[in-house]
Amino acid sequence: MPLNIPILLTWLRVALIPLVVGVFYLPDAWLSPFGKGVASTAVFIIAAMTDWFDGFLARRWNETSAFGAFLDPVADKLMVAGALLVLVEFKQLNAMFAFIIVGREITISALREWMAQIGASKSVAVSSLGKIKTTAQMVAIPMLLYDGTLFGVIDMRYWGTWLMAVAAVLTVWSMLYYLRRAWPLIKETEGQLK
C-alpha cells in the first residue's frame, strides 16, 4: 500500500465518517441538537473537501496509484451512506432517497466489478452525469445535516430536500445510463454462456 499525502487525505476522509455520524449521538447536555447539526455539517464539508483535494494533489504530483483509485470511491460511498443513514434515523430525510442512492451505488459497483472481469471497464467509466449527481448529493447532504435556517433566511432542510430529490432523479438516470452502456456486453456474455 503506497503512502503519500493524497492517500493519507483519503484515509482522513474515512476517519471522519464516524464523526459525521457519531456527533448526533452525543448527549444533549454536551451539544444542543442544533449544535450537533452544525458540527456534523462542518465535518462533512471538511471530508468532502479532502475528496477534491486528494485527487487534485495525486494528479498534480503524479502520485496516482491503483490503491488510491480503489480507496477513493470506497471512502466517498462510505461517507455518503453514513450521512444518509443518520439523516434517515433522525427523520431529516425520507428513507426512499437513501434507498435509491445506496441501491444505485451497490448496483453500479457490482456492474463495474463484473465489467472489469470481462475486460470492458471503460464501458462504465465515470460520466459527467455521474459527477453532476455526486455534486448534487454532496451539496444536499450538508444542507440536511445542518437542518436549520442559514443567516435567518435560507431554510436548509427545504432546499436540501429539493436538491436531494434532484440527486435521486439523477441517480436513477445515471444508473440507467450505465446499464444501457453495459447491456450489449451483458447480452453478448449471456449468449456465450448458453
Side-chain angles (χ1 to χ4, degrees):
M1 178 184 75
L3 267 183
N4 54 41
I5 291 175
I7 286 179
L8 288 174
L9 284 171
T10 306
W11 278 119
L12 173 62
R13 187 157 73 258
V14 172
L16 289 175
I17 296 164
L19 288 177
V20 171
V21 174
V23 73
F24 280 97
Y25 295 94
L26 292 173
D28 287 348
W30 291 10
L31 199 58
S32 70
F34 178 73
K36 292 175 188 179
V38 171
S40 184
T41 301
V43 174
F44 187 90
I45 289 170
I46 291 167
M49 287 170 61
T50 69
D51 181 26
W52 174 83
F53 200 51
D54 65 16
F56 170 78
L57 290 179
R59 287 185 298 275
R60 185 176 181 104
W61 294 345
N62 197 26
E63 291 184 342
T64 57
S65 66
F67 182 74
F70 155 76
L71 185 62
D72 189 64
V74 170
D76 294 346
K77 287 168 180 47
L78 286 172
M79 186 173 71
V80 168
L84 291 175
L85 288 173
V86 82
L87 287 169
V88 169
E89 163 115 5
F90 289 95
K91 310 276 189 279
Q92 290 165 234
L93 180 69
N94 188 300
M96 177 187 68
F97 292 130
F99 174 75
I100 288 170
I101 291 166
V102 173
R104 181 263 187 203
E105 296 303 337
I106 292 168
T107 303
I108 298 306
S109 293
L111 179 66
R112 284 194 174 121
E113 183 178 335
W114 180 73
M115 295 296 275
Q117 286 178 359
I118 63 168
S121 56
K122 289 189 177 173
S123 297
V124 284
V126 176
S127 71
S128 57
L129 181 60
K131 290 178 181 176
I132 295 167
K133 177 269 305 178
T134 300
T135 301
Q137 278 177 200
M138 298 305 249
V139 174
I141 289 171
M143 292 175 89
L144 291 167
L145 289 171
Y146 184 81
D147 194 34
T149 305
L150 187 63
F151 308 124
V153 178
I154 304 168
D155 184 341
M156 298 293 269
R157 182 183 280 205
Y158 176 83
W159 290 110
T161 301
W162 272 105
L163 194 52
M164 190 59 77
V166 169
V169 169
L170 292 172
T171 295
V172 173
W173 188 3
S174 68
M175 182 178 72
L176 294 174
Y177 168 81
Y178 289 125
L179 289 172
R180 196 180 101 227
R181 293 206 41 167
W183 189 250
L185 289 163
I186 293 170
K187 293 297 286 179
E188 182 182 316
T189 306
E190 181 186 316
Q192 292 170 0
L193 295 174
K194 288 183 180 177

